[in-house]
């Protein structure tokens, strides 16, 4: 149910990003009542501890309003996603399946499915898939909770991401 609510928040932010960006303050942050729509660790310019230096550099000359819209589209509702994360407990177990190494990074073709199951039976999962589209671009799907580097007691952010035109590297090798 959390994942579905997060998907709804993601769709709302994507659809209304041009309107939400109108409320950006001079420091490129949103007012408290809209903070859930952006990121906790960076501003709408992509600058902060969780920012993206490449995003900020590539869009430094972009009109601030459009840069803010682009940031919201890139990270829709991330602050909300952080607030409803899955929390692994001590003793949680992890299972991994797929053709990609677990951990993300460079966009190579393949997939993985990971689960983390708590001793009480609660479970977080992540499905990650990269599909080759052209010689230079791919489709990336990332659903579930970000289990890349989970630690007991630390929240894993909910993720609903479909990126249809990412830069592409090379085919993945099978992982045992």
């Amino acid at each position: 149910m959390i994942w579905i609510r997060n998907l709804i928040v993601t769709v709302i932010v994507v659809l209304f990003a041009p309107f939400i960006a109108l409320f950006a303050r001079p420091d490129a942050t949103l007012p408290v009542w809209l903070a859930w729509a952006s990121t906790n660790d960076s501003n709408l310019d992509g600058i902060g501890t969780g920012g993206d230096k490449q995003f900020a550099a590539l869009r430094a000359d972009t009109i601030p309003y459009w840069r803010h819209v682009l940031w919201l589209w890139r990270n829709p509702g991330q602050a909300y996603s952080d607030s409803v994360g899955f929390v692994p407990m001590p003793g949680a177990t992890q299972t991994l399946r797929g053709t990609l190494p677990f951990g993300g990074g460079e966009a190579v073709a393949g997939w993985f499915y990971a689960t983390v199951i708590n001793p009480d039976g609660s479970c977080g999962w992540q499905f990650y898939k990269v599909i080759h589209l052209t010689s230079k671009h791919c489709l990336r799907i990332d659903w579930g909770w970000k289990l890349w580097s989970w630690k007991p007691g630390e929240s894993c952010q909910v993720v609903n991401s479909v990126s249809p035109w990412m830069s592409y590297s090379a085919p993945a090798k099978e992982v045992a």
Side-chain angles (χ1 to χ4, degrees), residues 18 21 55 59 62-73:
F55 175 93
R59 289 156 186 88
T62 305
I63 296 169
Y65 168 79
W66 286 113
R67 187 170 52 243
H68 300 165
V69 170
L70 293 170
W71 185 256
L72 289 166
W73 281 340

Side-chain angles (χ1 to χ4, degrees), residues 13 16-30 37-39 43-47 55 59 62-76:
V13 174
F16 292 99
F19 179 72
I20 294 169
L22 292 172
F23 293 92
R25 300 186 303 201
D27 63 352
T29 61
L30 291 171
S38 188
T39 54
N43 66 21
L44 295 171
D45 291 326
I47 299 170
F55 175 93
R59 289 156 186 88
T62 305
I63 296 169
Y65 168 79
W66 286 113
R67 187 170 52 243
H68 300 165
V69 170
L70 293 170
W71 185 256
L72 289 166
W73 281 340
R74 184 185 181 282
N75 302 286

Side-chain angles (χ1 to χ4, degrees), residues 96-168:
L96 303 171
R97 286 180 285 208
T99 60
L100 288 177
F102 182 65
E106 205 170 334
V108 296
W111 67 279
F112 76 77
Y113 179 75
T115 59
V116 174
I117 301 172
N118 282 329
D120 69 359
S122 59
C123 177
W125 55 272
Q126 182 177 12
F127 175 75
Y128 186 87
K129 182 163 181 71
V130 176
I131 302 167
H132 176 258
L133 296 175
T134 71
S135 61
K136 295 183 181 183
H137 294 95
C138 63
L139 167 70
R140 182 189 71 180
I141 300 166
D142 192 2
W143 286 329
W145 285 263
K146 291 183 178 179
L147 300 177
W148 306 114
S149 57
W150 65 275
K151 294 177 183 149
E154 293 184 14
S155 183
C156 299
Q157 180 187 59
V158 176
V159 61
N160 291 300
S161 175
V162 177
S163 303
W165 207 245
M166 288 190 65
S167 295
Y168 177 74

